[in-house]
Amino acid sequence: MAMAGEKGRGRYLVLAVPYLWLVALFLAPFLIVFKISLSQDAIAQPPYTPLLDLSDGWAGFTDYLSQLSFDNYAYVLDFSNEFIQAYGSSLIIASISTVLLLLVGYPIAYGMARAPRSMQPTLLMLVILPFWTSFLIRVYAWIGILSPEGLLNQGLMALGIINEPLELLNTDIAVYIGIVYSYLPFMVLPLYSALEKLDLTLLEAAADLGCPPTKAFWTITFPLSLPGVAAGALLCFIPAVGEFVIPDLLGGSNTLMIGKSLWTEFTVNRSWTVSSAVAVLLLLVLVVPIVIYQNVQQRELEAGK
Amino acid sequence: MAAEKPRNQTIGAVRRTFQPWADPDKKPLIRFENVVKRFGDFTAVDNVSLDIYEREFFALLGPSGCGKTTLMRMLAGFEEPTEGRLTLAGEDISGIPPYRRPVNMMFQSYALFPHMNVLDNIAFGLKQDKMPKADIAARVEEMLKLTKLEKFAKRKPHQLSGGQRQRVALARSLAKRPKVLLLDEPLGALDKKLREETQFELMDLQMDLGMTFLIVTHDQEEAMTVADRIAVMNHGVLMQVAPPAVIYEQPATRYVADFIGEVNLVEGKVISASGDETRLSSPITPHPLRVSQSLGLKPGEEACIAIRPEKLRISLDEPADTSENCFRGEIWDIGYLGDLSIYHVELECGQRIKVSQPNLSRVVQRPITWDDKVWVTFAPHAGVMLTR
């Protein structure tokens, strides 16, 4: 019995670590942000009101609660304030980027999974290698590549493919390039792990039953890699929606993304409260795909393999 | 299980007389002609020539790595021969991709498509042939019935037991009615009882469908049970191709004799050979040995007598005639298997031989036990003389 008790305690300890982590670094900050989003802007330190003052006891607390409101949400959801458009545009850009990532990442992952066993660790390393350089520096490097007198335009002009420099930098195209480039490992790795697990005798069985290789890809390989596709797509889509650095550095003035709107609201307009409301709503928008992702994972676990 | 279905009365007659390999006018369905397969420096299949006939149940038997699976995979189209020719119904099939060959394979791992249910797994091959939907449904229904899987049609492979999965794999590979069905260690994952049951089912199935089955196995009992003929392979070479009884009773080489079942190999030197008899001397017994077999050997030549443990007689008393074919020794070990007992007898020279005796009676007055001095004898026709 004593053994069982100790075992139970050990299990709680192990479980406590991730939960404490989430409470301290996710739930608590989120509640603070949520609280701020219900407050009003004020010229003060901190720049919002009301502040919770517990010296008045319970009365102070109820007084505090009565001053909270959802006004900031109404403001954000007001169509004329362009936040809705920014949310929509972010979702569209993230969706298109995810599709592009899938189109680029799938062949890479497939090639890696089919490469000789001995080469696969090296290939994996190469996929992860860009992480060794700062994300910011890599995005800055794209400015040098995409600018009118950048490497890409110079190269294309030297080859005689174009006469005039292409307008790439500060366009949505640059944003897509930036997102696809930066997020590619997050797409490739789950796809690779799904494809690498695929039992190749299944393809032999398909061929044996009269199914040519291309068709076998679509009837066997692709459906069996769907968990990887889902994982990769969500791993890319979710952070891409809130992406700020890439649209800020590579996008144009009319590239509308919610991360940029939030940043503007926070730093230029100095509105902690509205930017908090934007953040909370962004989280709500993303909860849907996160829940889908967890469902997919759950199903994969239950499938037993 | 067998009682459910009345016996097909023609089976016995067909089985008794079925030996197309003995008929020189009969054209083989599958023909390996001097087939060689190399992987880099490794020769997996070394100059194999083999004919397999229509409606035959043929077994490729050998230890792992002997090339039997490679031979089968060449037939399926997953490997191409490095040298030689491979014909199916008279047609050279080298270069034809697997998906255009009229053979189907049942994989050792079953290779069921995990994302499809039993129905779709079985229908997969038929759909590739663009068969009309109604025909597919009818054929799948028939296959489900044949393999007793009707109740599981909507299940996914991971919801099935090992035995059920094996049936799905079989149904899937049979659904297209291939000219040849290849079975790669088909029963390896089943437990002993189910395996034995399934062996007999496979035989009946093969007979009822009138198909040619080629089975790869390392389990000699399985090969002996199901096959019309067995090819024993080792190191990529065919050692012997013959019906099970011939393989067992008249092995062509020491390797085959040793690989199939238990055997005592007694090395000897020819003393005299006359007509259909050979007398030999052996270092392991002072008594001369006589076998009713003549390979045209001359006195002084070396040969080996292979004697199966069940063909030796063991007794506590000295036999009436000790002039030939007897060994003296001491019981070293006894294995009691219920239906029979295996005696390990240590001869005076130190070599041990195995003798098995059926336990015919429940009560024995004086059972043979450890350290007993015993006599072991055999009849001249019990042993096979081998020179290779």
Side-chain angles (χ1 to χ4, degrees), chain A residues 229-260:
Chain A
V229 171
L234 287 161
L235 274 179
C236 292
F237 179 79
I238 292 167
V241 173
E243 183 55 58
F244 161 71
V245 173
I246 295 169
D248 189 56
L249 293 181
L250 302 179
S253 49
N254 52 3
T255 303
L256 203 56
M257 281 192 86
I258 197 67
K260 253 177 91 177

PDB file of all heavy atoms in Angstrom, chain A residues 229-260:
ATOM      1  N   VAL A 229       0.150  15.217 -42.629  1.00  0.00           N
ATOM      2  CA  VAL A 229      -0.306  16.409 -43.340  1.00  0.00           C
ATOM      3  C   VAL A 229      -1.045  17.325 -42.369  1.00  0.00           C
ATOM      4  O   VAL A 229      -0.793  18.533 -42.308  1.00  0.00           O
ATOM      5  CB  VAL A 229      -1.236  16.026 -44.518  1.00  0.00           C
ATOM      6  CG1 VAL A 229      -1.879  17.264 -45.122  1.00  0.00           C
ATOM      7  CG2 VAL A 229      -0.457  15.259 -45.579  1.00  0.00           C
ATOM      8  N   ALA A 230      -1.930  16.728 -41.559  1.00  0.00           N
ATOM      9  CA  ALA A 230      -2.708  17.532 -40.609  1.00  0.00           C
ATOM     10  C   ALA A 230      -1.788  18.188 -39.587  1.00  0.00           C
ATOM     11  O   ALA A 230      -1.905  19.385 -39.300  1.00  0.00           O
ATOM     12  CB  ALA A 230      -3.737  16.655 -39.905  1.00  0.00           C
ATOM     13  N   ALA A 231      -0.859  17.406 -39.052  1.00  0.00           N
ATOM     14  CA  ALA A 231       0.042  17.957 -38.040  1.00  0.00           C
ATOM     15  C   ALA A 231       0.873  19.090 -38.622  1.00  0.00           C
ATOM     16  O   ALA A 231       0.977  20.171 -38.027  1.00  0.00           O
ATOM     17  CB  ALA A 231       0.950  16.860 -37.491  1.00  0.00           C
ATOM     18  N   GLY A 232       1.448  18.858 -39.801  1.00  0.00           N
ATOM     19  CA  GLY A 232       2.286  19.869 -40.435  1.00  0.00           C
ATOM     20  C   GLY A 232       1.486  21.118 -40.757  1.00  0.00           C
ATOM     21  O   GLY A 232       1.929  22.241 -40.500  1.00  0.00           O
ATOM     22  N   ALA A 233       0.274  20.936 -41.297  1.00  0.00           N
ATOM     23  CA  ALA A 233      -0.545  22.069 -41.706  1.00  0.00           C
ATOM     24  C   ALA A 233      -0.884  22.924 -40.493  1.00  0.00           C
ATOM     25  O   ALA A 233      -0.779  24.150 -40.537  1.00  0.00           O
ATOM     26  CB  ALA A 233      -1.820  21.581 -42.380  1.00  0.00           C
ATOM     27  N   LEU A 234      -1.260  22.288 -39.382  1.00  0.00           N
ATOM     28  CA  LEU A 234      -1.648  23.080 -38.213  1.00  0.00           C
ATOM     29  C   LEU A 234      -0.436  23.726 -37.545  1.00  0.00           C
ATOM     30  O   LEU A 234      -0.512  24.843 -37.077  1.00  0.00           O
ATOM     31  CB  LEU A 234      -2.419  22.203 -37.222  1.00  0.00           C
ATOM     32  CG  LEU A 234      -3.823  21.910 -37.735  1.00  0.00           C
ATOM     33  CD1 LEU A 234      -4.423  20.709 -37.042  1.00  0.00           C
ATOM     34  CD2 LEU A 234      -4.711  23.131 -37.533  1.00  0.00           C
ATOM     35  N   LEU A 235       0.689  22.999 -37.539  1.00  0.00           N
ATOM     36  CA  LEU A 235       1.913  23.572 -36.956  1.00  0.00           C
ATOM     37  C   LEU A 235       2.326  24.819 -37.712  1.00  0.00           C
ATOM     38  O   LEU A 235       2.962  25.702 -37.156  1.00  0.00           O
ATOM     39  CB  LEU A 235       3.056  22.551 -37.001  1.00  0.00           C
ATOM     40  CG  LEU A 235       3.146  21.574 -35.849  1.00  0.00           C
ATOM     41  CD1 LEU A 235       4.306  20.618 -36.052  1.00  0.00           C
ATOM     42  CD2 LEU A 235       3.335  22.346 -34.541  1.00  0.00           C
ATOM     43  N   CYS A 236       2.003  24.879 -39.013  1.00  0.00           N
ATOM     44  CA  CYS A 236       2.363  26.052 -39.811  1.00  0.00           C
ATOM     45  C   CYS A 236       1.256  27.097 -39.760  1.00  0.00           C
ATOM     46  O   CYS A 236       1.514  28.294 -39.621  1.00  0.00           O
ATOM     47  CB  CYS A 236       2.623  25.654 -41.259  1.00  0.00           C
ATOM     48  SG  CYS A 236       4.093  24.661 -41.417  1.00  0.00           S
ATOM     49  N   PHE A 237       0.019  26.630 -39.876  1.00  0.00           N
ATOM     50  CA  PHE A 237      -1.099  27.562 -39.980  1.00  0.00           C
ATOM     51  C   PHE A 237      -1.242  28.413 -38.721  1.00  0.00           C
ATOM     52  O   PHE A 237      -1.381  29.634 -38.793  1.00  0.00           O
ATOM     53  CB  PHE A 237      -2.390  26.775 -40.240  1.00  0.00           C
ATOM     54  CG  PHE A 237      -3.608  27.638 -40.331  1.00  0.00           C
ATOM     55  CD1 PHE A 237      -3.881  28.343 -41.494  1.00  0.00           C
ATOM     56  CD2 PHE A 237      -4.475  27.750 -39.252  1.00  0.00           C
ATOM     57  CE1 PHE A 237      -5.006  29.142 -41.580  1.00  0.00           C
ATOM     58  CE2 PHE A 237      -5.601  28.556 -39.337  1.00  0.00           C
ATOM     59  CZ  PHE A 237      -5.872  29.250 -40.495  1.00  0.00           C
ATOM     60  N   ILE A 238      -1.170  27.768 -37.566  1.00  0.00           N
ATOM     61  CA  ILE A 238      -1.454  28.483 -36.323  1.00  0.00           C
ATOM     62  C   ILE A 238      -0.474  29.645 -36.090  1.00  0.00           C
ATOM     63  O   ILE A 238      -0.907  30.780 -35.914  1.00  0.00           O
ATOM     64  CB  ILE A 238      -1.493  27.508 -35.132  1.00  0.00           C
ATOM     65  CG1 ILE A 238      -2.709  26.594 -35.291  1.00  0.00           C
ATOM     66  CG2 ILE A 238      -1.552  28.237 -33.812  1.00  0.00           C
ATOM     67  CD1 ILE A 238      -2.714  25.396 -34.370  1.00  0.00           C
ATOM     68  N   PRO A 239       0.832  29.400 -36.129  1.00  0.00           N
ATOM     69  CA  PRO A 239       1.708  30.554 -35.931  1.00  0.00           C
ATOM     70  C   PRO A 239       1.679  31.536 -37.106  1.00  0.00           C
ATOM     71  O   PRO A 239       1.918  32.723 -36.911  1.00  0.00           O
ATOM     72  CB  PRO A 239       3.096  29.940 -35.768  1.00  0.00           C
ATOM     73  CG  PRO A 239       3.002  28.578 -36.321  1.00  0.00           C
ATOM     74  CD  PRO A 239       1.590  28.146 -36.200  1.00  0.00           C
ATOM     75  N   ALA A 240       1.363  31.038 -38.314  1.00  0.00           N
ATOM     76  CA  ALA A 240       1.366  31.930 -39.474  1.00  0.00           C
ATOM     77  C   ALA A 240       0.263  32.990 -39.343  1.00  0.00           C
ATOM     78  O   ALA A 240       0.444  34.127 -39.778  1.00  0.00           O
ATOM     79  CB  ALA A 240       1.197  31.140 -40.768  1.00  0.00           C
ATOM     80  N   VAL A 241      -0.871  32.617 -38.730  1.00  0.00           N
ATOM     81  CA  VAL A 241      -1.963  33.586 -38.589  1.00  0.00           C
ATOM     82  C   VAL A 241      -1.488  34.794 -37.781  1.00  0.00           C
ATOM     83  O   VAL A 241      -1.771  35.943 -38.127  1.00  0.00           O
ATOM     84  CB  VAL A 241      -3.183  32.930 -37.896  1.00  0.00           C
ATOM     85  CG1 VAL A 241      -4.243  33.966 -37.598  1.00  0.00           C
ATOM     86  CG2 VAL A 241      -3.761  31.843 -38.770  1.00  0.00           C
ATOM     87  N   GLY A 242      -0.765  34.548 -36.716  1.00  0.00           N
ATOM     88  CA  GLY A 242      -0.341  35.648 -35.862  1.00  0.00           C
ATOM     89  C   GLY A 242       1.022  36.206 -36.229  1.00  0.00           C
ATOM     90  O   GLY A 242       1.591  36.997 -35.473  1.00  0.00           O
ATOM     91  N   GLU A 243       1.560  35.808 -37.359  1.00  0.00           N
ATOM     92  CA  GLU A 243       2.914  36.213 -37.753  1.00  0.00           C
ATOM     93  C   GLU A 243       3.031  37.741 -37.833  1.00  0.00           C
ATOM     94  O   GLU A 243       2.156  38.426 -38.362  1.00  0.00           O
ATOM     95  CB  GLU A 243       3.250  35.579 -39.115  1.00  0.00           C
ATOM     96  CG  GLU A 243       4.657  35.869 -39.607  1.00  0.00           C
ATOM     97  CD  GLU A 243       5.719  35.471 -38.599  1.00  0.00           C
ATOM     98  OE1 GLU A 243       5.779  34.275 -38.200  1.00  0.00           O
ATOM     99  OE2 GLU A 243       6.483  36.350 -38.200  1.00  0.00           O
ATOM    100  N   PHE A 244       4.117  38.254 -37.264  1.00  0.00           N
ATOM    101  CA  PHE A 244       4.327  39.699 -37.288  1.00  0.00           C
ATOM    102  C   PHE A 244       5.607  40.094 -38.015  1.00  0.00           C
ATOM    103  O   PHE A 244       5.614  40.980 -38.853  1.00  0.00           O
ATOM    104  CB  PHE A 244       4.363  40.237 -35.845  1.00  0.00           C
ATOM    105  CG  PHE A 244       4.995  41.583 -35.726  1.00  0.00           C
ATOM    106  CD1 PHE A 244       4.335  42.711 -36.212  1.00  0.00           C
ATOM    107  CD2 PHE A 244       6.248  41.736 -35.164  1.00  0.00           C
ATOM    108  CE1 PHE A 244       4.916  43.950 -36.134  1.00  0.00           C
ATOM    109  CE2 PHE A 244       6.842  42.986 -35.092  1.00  0.00           C
ATOM    110  CZ  PHE A 244       6.178  44.094 -35.568  1.00  0.00           C
ATOM    111  N   VAL A 245       6.693  39.393 -37.709  1.00  0.00           N
ATOM    112  CA  VAL A 245       8.001  39.792 -38.225  1.00  0.00           C
ATOM    113  C   VAL A 245       8.034  39.745 -39.753  1.00  0.00           C
ATOM    114  O   VAL A 245       8.469  40.701 -40.410  1.00  0.00           O
ATOM    115  CB  VAL A 245       9.113  38.887 -37.639  1.00  0.00           C
ATOM    116  CG1 VAL A 245      10.438  39.182 -38.305  1.00  0.00           C
ATOM    117  CG2 VAL A 245       9.203  39.067 -36.147  1.00  0.00           C
ATOM    118  N   ILE A 246       7.542  38.650 -40.334  1.00  0.00           N
ATOM    119  CA  ILE A 246       7.648  38.485 -41.785  1.00  0.00           C
ATOM    120  C   ILE A 246       6.834  39.542 -42.541  1.00  0.00           C
ATOM    121  O   ILE A 246       7.376  40.229 -43.409  1.00  0.00           O
ATOM    122  CB  ILE A 246       7.264  37.049 -42.199  1.00  0.00           C
ATOM    123  CG1 ILE A 246       8.287  36.060 -41.609  1.00  0.00           C
ATOM    124  CG2 ILE A 246       7.212  36.910 -43.709  1.00  0.00           C
ATOM    125  CD1 ILE A 246       7.893  34.610 -41.712  1.00  0.00           C
ATOM    126  N   PRO A 247       5.542  39.750 -42.217  1.00  0.00           N
ATOM    127  CA  PRO A 247       4.823  40.815 -42.925  1.00  0.00           C
ATOM    128  C   PRO A 247       5.413  42.189 -42.637  1.00  0.00           C
ATOM    129  O   PRO A 247       5.391  43.063 -43.504  1.00  0.00           O
ATOM    130  CB  PRO A 247       3.389  40.703 -42.396  1.00  0.00           C
ATOM    131  CG  PRO A 247       3.458  39.864 -41.182  1.00  0.00           C
ATOM    132  CD  PRO A 247       4.648  38.978 -41.347  1.00  0.00           C
ATOM    133  N   ASP A 248       5.973  42.365 -41.454  1.00  0.00           N
ATOM    134  CA  ASP A 248       6.520  43.676 -41.133  1.00  0.00           C
ATOM    135  C   ASP A 248       7.760  43.965 -41.952  1.00  0.00           C
ATOM    136  O   ASP A 248       7.938  45.064 -42.466  1.00  0.00           O
ATOM    137  CB  ASP A 248       6.851  43.750 -39.635  1.00  0.00           C
ATOM    138  CG  ASP A 248       7.212  45.156 -39.214  1.00  0.00           C
ATOM    139  OD1 ASP A 248       6.368  46.052 -39.465  1.00  0.00           O
ATOM    140  OD2 ASP A 248       8.311  45.357 -38.680  1.00  0.00           O
ATOM    141  N   LEU A 249       8.634  42.971 -42.106  1.00  0.00           N
ATOM    142  CA  LEU A 249       9.903  43.203 -42.803  1.00  0.00           C
ATOM    143  C   LEU A 249       9.770  43.048 -44.321  1.00  0.00           C
ATOM    144  O   LEU A 249      10.392  43.764 -45.079  1.00  0.00           O
ATOM    145  CB  LEU A 249      10.980  42.242 -42.289  1.00  0.00           C
ATOM    146  CG  LEU A 249      11.424  42.471 -40.839  1.00  0.00           C
ATOM    147  CD1 LEU A 249      12.504  41.476 -40.460  1.00  0.00           C
ATOM    148  CD2 LEU A 249      11.924  43.894 -40.643  1.00  0.00           C
ATOM    149  N   LEU A 250       8.989  42.045 -44.736  1.00  0.00           N
ATOM    150  CA  LEU A 250       8.938  41.748 -46.178  1.00  0.00           C
ATOM    151  C   LEU A 250       7.673  42.282 -46.839  1.00  0.00           C
ATOM    152  O   LEU A 250       7.648  42.499 -48.045  1.00  0.00           O
ATOM    153  CB  LEU A 250       9.025  40.234 -46.408  1.00  0.00           C
ATOM    154  CG  LEU A 250      10.259  39.525 -45.845  1.00  0.00           C
ATOM    155  CD1 LEU A 250      10.178  38.030 -46.130  1.00  0.00           C
ATOM    156  CD2 LEU A 250      11.543  40.101 -46.432  1.00  0.00           C
ATOM    157  N   GLY A 251       6.597  42.449 -46.059  1.00  0.00           N
ATOM    158  CA  GLY A 251       5.320  42.854 -46.634  1.00  0.00           C
ATOM    159  C   GLY A 251       5.282  44.346 -46.927  1.00  0.00           C
ATOM    160  O   GLY A 251       6.123  45.117 -46.464  1.00  0.00           O
ATOM    161  N   GLY A 252       4.259  44.737 -47.704  1.00  0.00           N
ATOM    162  CA  GLY A 252       4.102  46.148 -48.040  1.00  0.00           C
ATOM    163  C   GLY A 252       3.203  46.830 -47.033  1.00  0.00           C
ATOM    164  O   GLY A 252       2.700  46.204 -46.102  1.00  0.00           O
ATOM    165  N   SER A 253       2.997  48.147 -47.268  1.00  0.00           N
ATOM    166  CA  SER A 253       2.177  48.912 -46.334  1.00  0.00           C
ATOM    167  C   SER A 253       0.735  48.410 -46.357  1.00  0.00           C
ATOM    168  O   SER A 253       0.010  48.559 -45.386  1.00  0.00           O
ATOM    169  CB  SER A 253       2.222  50.385 -46.689  1.00  0.00           C
ATOM    170  OG  SER A 253       1.958  50.517 -48.078  1.00  0.00           O
ATOM    171  N   ASN A 254       0.309  47.814 -47.480  1.00  0.00           N
ATOM    172  CA  ASN A 254      -1.076  47.343 -47.526  1.00  0.00           C
ATOM    173  C   ASN A 254      -1.211  45.849 -47.216  1.00  0.00           C
ATOM    174  O   ASN A 254      -2.257  45.270 -47.408  1.00  0.00           O
ATOM    175  CB  ASN A 254      -1.723  47.680 -48.874  1.00  0.00           C
ATOM    176  CG  ASN A 254      -0.867  47.199 -50.025  1.00  0.00           C
ATOM    177  OD1 ASN A 254       0.178  46.579 -49.787  1.00  0.00           O
ATOM    178  ND2 ASN A 254      -1.293  47.470 -51.246  1.00  0.00           N
ATOM    179  N   THR A 255      -0.110  45.221 -46.770  1.00  0.00           N
ATOM    180  CA  THR A 255      -0.237  43.843 -46.304  1.00  0.00           C
ATOM    181  C   THR A 255      -0.873  43.880 -44.922  1.00  0.00           C
ATOM    182  O   THR A 255      -0.276  44.368 -43.970  1.00  0.00           O
ATOM    183  CB  THR A 255       1.138  43.166 -46.209  1.00  0.00           C
ATOM    184  OG1 THR A 255       1.760  43.225 -47.471  1.00  0.00           O
ATOM    185  CG2 THR A 255       0.976  41.700 -45.791  1.00  0.00           C
ATOM    186  N   LEU A 256      -2.110  43.405 -44.878  1.00  0.00           N
ATOM    187  CA  LEU A 256      -2.863  43.508 -43.646  1.00  0.00           C
ATOM    188  C   LEU A 256      -2.763  42.187 -42.889  1.00  0.00           C
ATOM    189  O   LEU A 256      -3.208  41.163 -43.367  1.00  0.00           O
ATOM    190  CB  LEU A 256      -4.324  43.809 -44.014  1.00  0.00           C
ATOM    191  CG  LEU A 256      -5.203  44.477 -42.979  1.00  0.00           C
ATOM    192  CD1 LEU A 256      -4.594  45.780 -42.494  1.00  0.00           C
ATOM    193  CD2 LEU A 256      -6.580  44.714 -43.585  1.00  0.00           C
ATOM    194  N   MET A 257      -2.122  42.218 -41.715  1.00  0.00           N
ATOM    195  CA  MET A 257      -2.110  40.996 -40.898  1.00  0.00           C
ATOM    196  C   MET A 257      -2.319  41.389 -39.455  1.00  0.00           C
ATOM    197  O   MET A 257      -1.876  42.432 -38.991  1.00  0.00           O
ATOM    198  CB  MET A 257      -0.808  40.214 -41.074  1.00  0.00           C
ATOM    199  CG  MET A 257      -0.799  39.389 -42.358  1.00  0.00           C
ATOM    200  SD  MET A 257       0.549  38.204 -42.436  1.00  0.00           S
ATOM    201  CE  MET A 257      -0.134  36.804 -41.589  1.00  0.00           C
ATOM    202  N   ILE A 258      -2.981  40.502 -38.731  1.00  0.00           N
ATOM    203  CA  ILE A 258      -3.429  40.845 -37.392  1.00  0.00           C
ATOM    204  C   ILE A 258      -2.252  41.086 -36.455  1.00  0.00           C
ATOM    205  O   ILE A 258      -2.329  41.918 -35.557  1.00  0.00           O
ATOM    206  CB  ILE A 258      -4.398  39.778 -36.848  1.00  0.00           C
ATOM    207  CG1 ILE A 258      -5.191  40.314 -35.658  1.00  0.00           C
ATOM    208  CG2 ILE A 258      -3.684  38.499 -36.464  1.00  0.00           C
ATOM    209  CD1 ILE A 258      -6.152  41.414 -36.009  1.00  0.00           C
ATOM    210  N   GLY A 259      -1.148  40.409 -36.679  1.00  0.00           N
ATOM    211  CA  GLY A 259       0.025  40.617 -35.842  1.00  0.00           C
ATOM    212  C   GLY A 259       0.520  42.050 -35.957  1.00  0.00           C
ATOM    213  O   GLY A 259       0.893  42.680 -34.966  1.00  0.00           O
ATOM    214  N   LYS A 260       0.476  42.561 -37.204  1.00  0.00           N
ATOM    215  CA  LYS A 260       0.918  43.939 -37.431  1.00  0.00           C
ATOM    216  C   LYS A 260      -0.063  44.932 -36.806  1.00  0.00           C
ATOM    217  O   LYS A 260       0.353  45.919 -36.203  1.00  0.00           O
ATOM    218  CB  LYS A 260       1.015  44.194 -38.940  1.00  0.00           C
ATOM    219  CG  LYS A 260       2.455  44.278 -39.431  1.00  0.00           C
ATOM    220  CD  LYS A 260       2.515  44.447 -40.941  1.00  0.00           C
ATOM    221  CE  LYS A 260       2.536  45.907 -41.351  1.00  0.00           C
ATOM    222  NZ  LYS A 260       2.660  46.044 -42.816  1.00  0.00           N
TER     223      LYS A 260
END
